[in-house]
Amino acid sequence: MFRSIKSQIIVALSFIIIAVLGATAYLTIEHEKRGLNQDIFKKAFSFAQLTHQGVVDSFEQNYQEGAFANFERDLASFYSLNEDVTSLAVYSYQGESLFSDEIGGDEVGTGSFLSLGSEQVDEVILNAEPDLERLQSLFPSVQTSTGRVIYIESTDGQFRYTNFNGQNVSPIEDTDQIINIVYPFRDPSDITTSYSVGYKVSYQALDERIEQLFLRLSAIAILGIVVALFIGLIVAQHITSPLKKLSKGAVKIGKGDLETRIPIRSKSEVGKLAAVFNQMASDLQV
């Protein structure tokens, strides 16, 4: 198997192309995934900044007054602004769950929001009770899929990442995925009216985009392999064709046909070897 030079060249070239395409695809997917992680986090956090006061206003004016249809309409308008936020909850300052909404679900007021996460999240994180520190903090916070809670101070679009005590911590990396955001609402005119709005973040869009990217790269890779095989065949033919002529000519000279000349004029090693055979045949004729 693979005894001929032609097959060896084709196989070697194919392996090289596959390795190059595989490495390129892996690096491209990793780069895209990191970029999407950051994009989802920043958009979800901006969404929380933009909507938390509106959620509280609608909760007080509609939900608490029994105007549920109006409240649901407001929620739908909020959700339409960001596909990656799949549910929200409203908590009191004391940590009481006042409202919890899971898209596609029907449980309300269960207090289970902070225990919801992606399937990759550790079971301990999934079953965690709402953290009172987060609900009573003046600053918004996020929880990553590893369970780390980070408080964020935002000034002019610049983020400062801290723990609950205000000490600086390592920022959210582009490999981190957040499972929820808790954003506080404090009414300056009535300090007793304090809420926190929780947002659950989904990475389904990331998974879908990575899957689509993988399919596109796979198609490109298959096309690349086909092209590589075609080019390899041409290159191998270009290399082996002179060798076949040299082999046939050498056999004829070896059988005593000194009139035989090998018709290779290339300046390559094969051409030089053909010239040696031709000279040898000429010398033997003398």
Side-chain angles (χ1 to χ4, degrees), residues 91-93 95 114 130-137 182 186 196:
Y91 293 97
S92 70
Y93 185 79
L114 292 182
D131 189 339
L132 193 59
E133 287 185 347
R134 297 181 68 188
L135 300 179
Q136 294 184 346
S137 173
V182 172
R186 305 292 181 260
S196 286

Side-chain angles (χ1 to χ4, degrees), residues 159-179:
F159 293 157
R160 177 174 174 254
Y161 303 93
T162 71
N163 59 20
F164 180 72
N165 297 320
Q167 299 171 324
N168 290 335
V169 297
S170 57
I172 296 175
E173 304 291 343
D174 53 13
T175 55
D176 290 331
Q177 292 188 351
I178 61 172
I179 59 174

